[in-house]
Amino acid sequence: MFNRAAVIDRNFTQFCQGQEAAALSRAAPRRELDEALAQSDAGPAGSPRGGRLLYELFESQVVSRHLDLTARELRRQERGYYTISSSGHEPNVVLGRFVRHTDPAFLHYRSGALMAERARQGGAQTFIRDTLLSFMASSRDPLAGGRHKVWGSVELCVPPQTSTIASQLPRSVGAALSFGRMRRQGLKPALGRFGELPLDSIILCTFGDASVNHSAAQGAFNLACYAAHRNLPCPILFVCEDNGIGISVETAAGWIAAAFGARPGLRFFEVDGRDLPAACDATEEAVRFVRATRRPAFLRLQVVRLLGHAGSDVETEYHTLEEIAAAEARDPLLATARRMIEAGFLTPEETLALYEATGRRVADELAELGQPPLLTSAAQVLAPLAPYSPARVSAEARRRADDEARLRAFALDGIPGFVKHGDRARLPENQPPRHMAALINWALHDLMAKYPEMQVFGEDVAKKGGVYHVTAGLTARFGVGRVFNTLLDETSILGMAIGAGHLGLLPVPEIQYLAYVHNAIDQLRGEACSTQFFSNDQFRNPLVLRVASLAYQKGFGGHFHNDNSIAALRDIPGLVLACPSRGDDAARMLRTCLALAKIDGRVVAFLEPIALYMTKDLHEPGDGAWLCGYPPPDEAIALGEGRVYEPEAAEADGQGAAANDPGSSADDLTILTFGNGVLMSLQAARVLLRERGVRARVVDLRWLSPLNEPFIRAQAAATGRVLIVDEGRRSGGVSEAIAAILLAREAGAGLPEQDSGAVLPQRESGRVSVRRLTGADTYIPLGPAANLVLPTAADIVREALALAAVSTKGDRACAAASVESHRGA
Ligand SMILES: Cc1ncc(C[n+]2csc(CCOP(=O)(O)OP(=O)(O)O)c2C)c(N)n1
C-alpha cells in the first residue's frame, strides 16, 4: 500500500470513528468553545488558552492538510505540478497566530498551516483558492502568476521563497537589521506592494533542521548574534521546523539544541509542536521577547514529516514501512484532534465533521476554478523579470540632489577635494579633472545627498574608505548609520543588501574583489534577481552592488585580486551589469544604476576596473588624457548606451567621442570592447593610424548585460570588420555573446525572433568579418606573467592588422566569418 496520502487521510477518519476517541470523549467534560482550556492554562501573556483558539488553529491545520491531499490528486490528474507538502508540519500554525500578519515573513516550503492561519488573521479570504491556483501554476495565482508554487502573499506580507534551502536567511537578517537603521534615519519601513510596516514589526524566518547546517544559514545566524553582541537591534524570530530529517538524511538527535541552545546573543526556545497549547505558549513568549527586546531568538519547533520529502520521493528507499507508519501515528493532526476531544471542546463526530466539511470546501473551490488559465507565452513569463521604464529612469538619473544637500555633502573641511560649506565654486563639477576613483567617490557623495535612503556598506568601506579609497570620507560625512563596515562574509553582505532593499532602502554594498562575488553569488542569482520574477513584481529588492574588478593591476595581486571572469554574472536573469572605463562615464552610469534600482527595483552590479581607478595617462606618461572632469549631476548615460571613439579621438587626447552614428565615417574596422580594453584599444588605434594608416573606431560597450544588440550590430555594420577585445576569459565571456549576436540569427525557444534580417550586419554589400581577442581560460598568475594570458595593446594592433587585410566585399547571403585569437593559446 503506497499511497500514503490515502493512508493519513484514512487514519484521521478511523481515529475519529475508533475506540480511543470514543473513550476520550466519554471521559471528557463537555465544554463550550468559548471556555478556557483550564484555569491554569494561561499563556505567557496571561491569556487563557480557550477552546475557540484551539479550534481555529485546528481548522487551519485541517485546511492545510486538505490542500496537501488535493495537491497530490492534482498531480495524479496531471493538473498540478507541486507536491512538497506541509503534512506533519501543521504545528507551524502557531506562527500564523502569534506572529502578526504585518510582520514580514520569509518562509520554509512547508508553511501551509502557518499561511492558512495568517490568512485568517489578515482577513485574506481567498487563501484556499490562491493556493490551488499556485499548485496548478495558473497565471491567476495572485503572487507568482504561475511562475512557481511559492508560499507568499502581498496582503499577508510574505515575499516569495525559492527552493534553495537556507538562502532566505541572510535577507531575513538583513531586513531585521534595517528596522533599527531606518528608525535612526527617520525612515519608514515598507515592504513592496504591502506598503508601510508598523514600527515595532519583527521578521519571521522559518526553515528545516537540515537547512540550519548550510553555510548561508550559518552566516545569517552569526550575523544576527554579532548584531546582538553589539547591541544593534535585530528583531528576528528564527524558527527551525525540526522534523529530524532532510530528504533521506537524519539530523542527529539533540543537534539543534546543542548547536543553538547557547549561542551568544541568541535566545533559544524549544517545544514539541504536537502539544498545541505548549506550542502556543512557547511561540507567544518567543515573539514577545523579540518584539520587546529587538533581539534575535531561535525557536525549535518539533514537527513530523509525512508523505516523504515530496511526491516524487520514494521513502521506502531509506525507511521501512514500519518507520513510515510510526511517523504517521505521530501525525500532529491526530494529536490536535485528540486534544480537542480530551478537553471536551469537540466530540469525535464533530471532529470528523469539521475534517470532512473542510475537505468539501477545498473540493468546491477546486471545482469552481475548473481549469484556470496557464502562462501561454514566453513574453508573459518574462514580463516581471526585468522591468525597465527608460523615460522615468532617465529623468530620475538626471534629477539633481537638492542644492543645499549637495553643498553639505561636499562641505567637509580638511579633506582634499572637499570644500567649505557653501563654497559652490568648488563643487566637484568645478574641480580639475581627476582619475576614476575620485570621480566615483564624488558620485557616491552626490548620490548619498540625493537619496536619504541610500546606504553604503561592505568590508573596510568605512574609516579606511575601501581598499582603493573609493568610499573615503563617506562615513565622516554621512555617519556610521549610512556608511558602515560589515562582517567579512560576502553572503551576509548581499543578504543585508537584499533585506534592506526589501524594506525600502537603496543599498549600495561593496564586494572587495570580483573573485569574491562568486563566494556568495547565489544571493544574487537565487535571491535578489528572482524576487520580482516570482512575485510578479509585487516585491522588490533593489540594490547596486559595487565590485572592484578585473585585472591589469601593476605590481599587485595575482590570481583572485585580478579576477577577470564575469560569465557567472552575465548569466543571471535580470541582472544589470555595468562596467565603466573612465571616471566621467562611471559617475554618469552610477546615476543610472541608482535610478534603475529606485524606479524599477532592479539589481545592478557595477564593475569598477581596479587598474583604471588611478590611471591618469592614455598614451604617454604625463599626458593626463585619462583624467576626467566631474560631469554635472544632471547628466547620465542610459542603460545600453555605448561610446564610440573615432580614430581621430585616439589620436588627439582620448576624450572626444563621436556621435554614435554608425554611418558617420569610413573607418576600416570596429573594435568592440569594455573596461581596460578601451584604454588599450585606443592606444592600439593610435599606432594603427599613425604607423599603418588603418582607421579603427573603438566602441566602449559600457553595459555588459543586457548587451545592446542593435547598437552592436550597427557598429559592426559600419565597418564590416569587427575585432572583439574582451579582457575576460575566452569561454563564457562577453566576446562569445557579441560573436553570437554578430554571427547568428537567433530565435530562442518560444521567443519572438530576435533578428529578423536574413543577412547579418553588413557594410554596403560586404560581409562582416569578426575576430576575437580574449584572455585565456586560466587563473591570472602573479607579476608580469599576467600579461601572457591577457590581451595587450600590441595584440590588438596585430589582430586589427590581420582583420584590416580582409576584404569586406563578398556574397551578400554569406554569414560572418569568424577568426579567433586569445592569449596563452
Ligand atoms: C542549497 C540546496 N541544496 C540542496 C537542495 C535540495 N534539497 C531540497 S530540500 C532538502 C532537504 C531540506 O531538509 P530540511 O531543511 O530538514 O527541511 P525539510 O524538507 O525536512 O522540511 C534538500 C537537500 C536545495 N533545495 N537547496
Side-chain angles (χ1 to χ4, degrees):
M1 163 62 195
F2 218 79
N3 183 350
R4 303 316 291 190
V7 171
I8 61 170
D9 187 30
R10 199 185 53 218
N11 280 354
F12 192 88
T13 305
Q14 287 181 348
F15 167 76
C16 293
Q17 294 170 339
Q19 302 286 328
E20 184 194 349
L24 287 172
S25 186
R26 273 195 302 277
R30 180 69 195 174
R31 281 206 185 91
E32 293 304 314
L33 281 181
D34 289 326
E35 278 181 49
L37 188 57
Q39 267 322 311
S40 57
D41 283 322
S47 53
R49 302 298 178 203
R52 179 73 56 193
L53 167 71
L54 296 182
Y55 180 86
E56 287 179 1
L57 297 182
F58 183 41
E59 193 178 41
S60 292
Q61 293 187 325
V62 174
V63 165
S64 174
R65 176 63 56 91
H66 279 294
L67 283 169
D68 283 345
L69 299 178
T70 307
R72 299 268 161 151
E73 182 54 25
L74 283 169
R75 183 74 212 104
R76 203 187 57 74
Q77 296 172 13
E78 299 194 347
R79 295 167 65 204
Y81 306 94
Y82 194 84
T83 54
I84 293 189
S85 83
S86 302
S87 293
H89 281 238
E90 289 91 350
N92 62 29
V93 73
V94 293
L95 300 166
R97 184 65 167 223
F98 294 103
V99 178
R100 293 181 194 152
H101 78 275
T102 54
D103 289 327
F106 298 87
L107 299 180
H108 191 42
Y109 44 71
R110 302 196 192 275
S111 295
L114 185 163
M115 286 296 286
E117 182 58 23
R118 196 167 166 108
R120 179 202 304 280
Q121 299 306 317
Q125 309 287 335
T126 56
F127 170 73
I128 292 176
R129 191 173 69 215
D130 296 347
T131 306
L132 293 171
L133 286 168
S134 70
F135 288 154
M136 292 190 275
S138 168
S139 54
R140 280 173 53 204
D141 161 12
L143 187 65
R147 290 173 190 81
H148 186 40
K149 150 83 206 112
V150 297
W151 289 115
S153 155
V154 169
E155 59 184 323
L156 298 177
C157 202
V158 183
Q161 67 286 150
T162 67
S163 68
T164 309
I165 55 96
S167 65
Q168 82 277 29
L169 272 81
R171 72 157 78 190
S172 307
V173 179
L177 288 169
S178 297
F179 282 125
R181 294 196 184 281
M182 293 184 87
R183 184 193 287 255
R184 284 196 295 280
Q185 302 297 324
L187 301 169
K188 291 186 173 154
L191 188 78
R193 293 258 170 94
F194 177 84
E196 224 169 273
L197 300 168
L199 288 177
D200 64 344
S201 297
I202 66 169
I203 298 292
L204 172 65
C205 176
T206 67
F207 42 84
D209 50 287
S211 303
V212 302
N213 302 297
H214 199 280
S215 56
Q218 290 290 329
F221 297 133
N222 184 63
L223 178 59
C225 291
Y226 189 73
H229 178 72
R230 293 189 55 208
N231 282 323
L232 294 173
C234 186
I236 182 166
L237 177 59
F238 294 113
V239 181
C240 175
E241 298 186 14
D242 186 355
N243 61 24
I245 197 164
I247 303 188
S248 68
V249 182
E250 280 171 19
T251 298
W255 170 241
I256 302 297
F260 295 93
R263 285 234 183 169
L266 189 66
R267 179 80 177 270
F268 183 74
F269 300 83
E270 66 181 325
V271 70
D272 182 349
R274 293 169 64 245
D275 181 345
L276 203 51
C280 290
D281 290 353
T283 306
E284 195 173 20
E285 197 180 338
V287 170
R288 224 157 42 98
F289 169 82
V290 175
R291 204 178 304 283
T293 64
R294 318 303 288 163
R295 293 171 76 82
F298 186 108
L299 170 64
R300 171 180 176 248
L301 182 66
Q302 245 180 291
V303 296
V304 183
R305 194 192 71 185
L306 302 175
L307 303 184
H309 176 68
S312 53
D313 176 30
V314 182
E315 201 178 344
T316 42
E317 286 169 352
Y318 53 90
H319 278 158
T320 63
L321 265 180
E322 290 69 30
E323 286 168 333
I324 293 169
E328 288 161 354
R330 293 189 289 115
D331 184 343
L333 232 59
L334 295 177
T336 314
R338 200 175 276 122
R339 168 76 63 159
M340 295 300 287
I341 295 168
E342 216 171 23
F345 291 127
L346 291 178
T347 63
E349 295 73 25
E350 288 166 339
T351 308
L352 187 56
L354 168 68
Y355 184 79
E356 289 178 341
T358 307
R360 281 195 300 276
R361 234 172 99 198
V362 174
D364 290 348
E365 293 267 14
L366 184 62
E368 212 171 293
L369 283 176
Q371 185 53 57
L374 305 177
L375 291 163
T376 51
S377 70
Q380 223 185 335
V381 172
L382 297 179
L385 177 66
Y388 180 38
S389 331
R392 290 182 61 214
V393 168
S394 170
E396 175 64 19
R398 290 164 203 275
R399 183 172 66 80
R400 302 172 71 102
D402 171 76
D403 245 18
E404 190 50 34
R406 288 197 77 220
L407 287 171
R408 269 201 309 277
F410 293 102
L412 273 191
D413 297 331
I415 295 181
F418 291 93
V419 296
K420 282 199 163 84
H421 179 76
D423 188 354
R424 187 175 298 274
R426 296 197 54 210
L427 283 172
E429 58 269 32
N430 302 323
Q431 301 300 306
R434 297 287 304 275
H435 52 59
M436 188 197 280
L439 265 65
I440 296 176
N441 178 271
W442 282 338
L444 289 170
H445 277 79
D446 236 347
L447 290 163
M448 288 288 283
K450 178 172 170 178
Y451 296 110
E453 69 274 34
M454 175 173 155
Q455 296 187 334
V456 170
F457 51 88
E459 294 149 17
D460 302 299
V461 301
K463 260 192 185 165
K464 181 173 168 61
V467 173
Y468 297 97
H469 306 294
V470 176
T471 55
L474 286 170
T475 306
R477 182 64 201 91
F478 297 100
V480 288
R482 295 185 61 197
V483 183
F484 49 91
N485 292 325
T486 60
L487 290 180
L488 205 173
D489 176 23
E490 284 72 20
T491 300
S492 292
I493 293 171
L494 291 178
M496 285 169 73
I498 298 170
H502 261 307
L503 261 56
L505 291 165
L506 261 184
V508 181
E510 176 182 306
I511 286 190
Q512 218 157 60
Y513 289 97
L514 181 57
Y516 310 130
V517 173
H518 296 83
N519 203 277
I521 201 152
D522 178 59
Q523 287 298 305
L524 288 178
R525 173 189 303 278
E527 293 291 293
C529 289
S530 73
T531 298
Q532 286 169 285
F533 185 71
F534 289 125
S535 71
N536 227 345
D537 198 20
Q538 298 172 94
F539 290 106
R540 293 175 162 194
N541 39 224
L543 67 92
V544 178
L545 168 65
R546 293 180 40 253
V547 192
S549 303
L550 304 174
Y552 297 102
Q553 293 180 70
K554 291 193 181 69
F556 174 71
H559 63 347
F560 288 180
H561 297 104
N562 278 287
D563 190 23
N564 61 343
S565 172
I566 60 170
L569 288 169
R570 280 199 19 86
D571 177 58
I572 298 176
L575 182 75
V576 171
L577 195 57
C579 183
S581 64
R582 46 191 279 169
D584 53 355
D585 278 7
R588 294 189 187 102
M589 289 167 75
L590 202 48
R591 292 168 191 159
T592 297
C593 293
L594 267 291
L596 282 162
K598 176 79 184 170
I599 298 295
D600 286 324
R602 299 292 294 273
V603 177
V604 183
F606 190 76
L607 306 183
E608 300 172 3
I610 299 168
L612 299 179
Y613 270 149
M614 312 290 175
T615 297
K616 299 186 180 72
D617 305 326
L618 174 57
H619 295 300
E620 273 118 28
D623 69 12
W626 215 240
L627 297 173
C628 299
Y630 183 75
D634 50 6
E635 290 183 6
I637 292 170
L639 174 60
E641 185 184 338
R643 180 193 278 263
V644 182
Y645 295 86
E646 294 287 358
E648 287 73 19
E651 178 58 37
D653 60 0
Q655 295 295 312
N660 288 0
D661 173 4
S664 68
S665 76
D667 299 336
D668 295 309
L669 72 133
T670 303
I671 299 178
L672 295 176
T673 188
F674 65 93
N676 294 286
V678 176
L679 197 90
M680 292 186 295
S681 297
L682 286 171
Q683 291 163 350
R686 181 155 93 158
V687 173
L688 288 166
L689 187 64
R690 280 189 177 179
E691 297 178 14
R692 310 300 287 263
V694 170
R695 294 171 55 81
R697 61 164 57 194
V698 176
V699 178
D700 182 356
L701 296 169
R702 298 198 281 211
W703 304 92
L704 304 183
S705 189
L707 285 171
N708 183 341
E709 299 193 11
F711 173 71
I712 288 170
R713 286 201 185 91
Q715 291 303 325
T719 64
R721 299 185 189 91
V722 175
L723 174 59
I724 306 167
V725 177
D726 177 1
E727 63 188 286
R729 297 201 185 132
R730 175 176 162 74
S731 301
V734 178
S735 69
E736 284 187 350
I738 297 170
I741 289 168
L742 296 178
L743 292 168
R745 285 182 68 196
E746 285 187 42
L751 289 169
E753 213 169 88
Q754 307 270 310
D755 172 10
S756 54
V759 186
L760 284 158
Q762 299 172 43
R763 184 188 186 201
E764 296 156 10
S765 62
R767 65 183 196 171
V768 173
S769 292
V770 181
R771 289 180 84 90
R772 194 160 73 109
L773 176 63
T774 70
D777 285 336
T778 178
Y779 301 102
I780 309 291
L782 188 65
N787 290 333
L788 303 174
V789 295
L790 293 167
T792 64
D795 294 332
I796 298 172
V797 171
R798 187 193 66 233
E799 292 300 312
L801 287 174
L803 190 60
V806 175
S807 164
T808 58
K809 302 278 181 278
D811 177 358
R812 193 175 175 81
C814 186
S818 173
V819 183
E820 300 187 345
S821 173
H822 61 100
R823 299 307 310 267

